[in-house]
Amino acid sequence: MARVAVENLGPFRSCSLELRPLTVIIGRNSVGKSMLLYLLWSVMSLWPVPGDLVVSAAEAVAERVSRGVDPSEEFRELLRAYVRAFPKASARALEERLAGVFGVSPRELLLKGSERGRIVVEGDRGAVEFVVSGDGVEARYLYIDEGLVDRYEAVVPAPGRLAVRLGGETIGEDYVAGVVDAALMATAVLADFTVRTLRPFFASELLCVLLVDSRAGIARTLLKAFVDPSVVKGLSHADEHFIRLYYRLAEELARGDVDLSLAEPLLRELGVEVVPVLERAAYRLRVRTWTGHEVPFELAPSGVREALTTALALSAKYFPCVFIEEPEAHLHPRAQKAMARLIAKSVNAGKRVVVSTHSDYIVYTLNNLIALSKVAERAQDLGYGRGEVLRPEAVAAYLVKQGEGVAEVVRLEVGEEGFDESTFAEVVRELADERAFISL
């Protein structure tokens, strides 16, 4: 279970979303789809570390480990202190994230006429409420399974060495020479605790990645030089994240940690191959076109610059959560269909994917893959693999639309035939009617 509620932020008075392995957000221009996507990514990719070291508890752990004495109770006290400090640290981190992503203060994000906004995230065994106001961001647990802390077992395999286990599984093991080492171990176990209670939120930017809009433009202008994105004035946090992601993807590809077979139909449709190269101590991407020419990624055709990083993120082993803004950008309809098929394969391989889109081709393809779940044995007859078939229960779909001065988020039922396509079908009918009138 993963739910997000948003109140009095941006154009949203109140909305609630349940996130499934694939979550699709559709709607017309300027209704708030991108803001909703960025809000979701902001809370899902947070990883705050409590900044206030609990010195006394950490000292007690380190002292007992150095003597080879059972430190379980002392370690649980330290971990419990970190768990309780987590909301405050999360509030600080979210305040910085919102400012970096949207470029404005928390007050400026509030719905017009509102004094306070809320974001509530609910995971498997806990929920956190963020309150946004002119004073910044505050946070608290609505509930959390703190009893899980008591199930962690801290043992000392040898004097000076600490191992933390849960149900026979080793969560972490390392030498502990002092307060800092004890705190680092507690932080690692806090990450495990957070995964078990608040998953999929607080996954960190290392695991939860965002493919921003205008990928082609960012690549062409900001990837030509080896410049750390943090030194470029006026660059949003989301764009910085994308630039860093590009270099990570190039390195993952070089290491063999990207399964290009998943993306092969899309790459074939684009008419390219992708090659990682090491230049000045950093991996970069080069693109070999169907003509045999090889060019730097930033000089590749616009559709390739838009689609390639998305394809690599969806095919990489170590990015379990992928957010994509307009995966269809700059793509021919056949390439859009191939992109939708890659999204489905990635979801079925275990990724969580959140997509905002204007594309009828993306939506129609996803709905066809959902409809195939009734007759999966016929997938091959249509040229699909079983790994592309989507179960209806794995998909959530939302329509963002204009209301009375606010944006409304409407959940679309996902059944055996997929979800409502009428917002796209209406335009198709209008165009067909115009053609019929012209032909009279």
Side-chain angles (χ1 to χ4, degrees), residues 7-13 35 106-117 404-407:
E7 295 179 9
N8 297 331
L9 287 173
F12 304 105
R13 173 71 68 192
M35 182 171 191
R107 179 186 294 277
E108 293 173 280
L109 287 175
L110 294 174
L111 180 70
K112 187 176 180 179
S114 299
E115 294 295 324
R116 290 156 46 99
E404 292 294 327
V406 295

Side-chain angles (χ1 to χ4, degrees), residues 8 160 174 223 238 288 336 345 387 392 424:
N8 297 331
D174 208 343
L223 291 179
R288 189 176 297 129
Q336 293 184 41
K345 284 188 283 188
F424 300 106

Side-chain angles (χ1 to χ4, degrees), residues 167-189:
E169 177 187 355
T170 298
I171 307 303
E173 182 172 348
D174 208 343
Y175 288 101
V176 172
V179 170
V180 173
D181 292 337
L184 288 174
M185 180 64 78
T187 300
V189 179

Side-chain angles (χ1 to χ4, degrees), residues 220-234:
R220 183 172 57 190
T221 56
L222 294 176
L223 291 179
K224 289 183 179 180
F226 291 86
V227 178
D228 190 294
S230 62
V231 306
V232 181
K233 292 183 179 181

Side-chain angles (χ1 to χ4, degrees), residues 59-74:
E59 283 179 340
V61 171
E63 189 272 333
R64 294 183 75 84
V65 171
S66 68
R67 294 192 292 114
V69 178
D70 178 13
S72 290
E73 287 305 315
E74 290 76 10

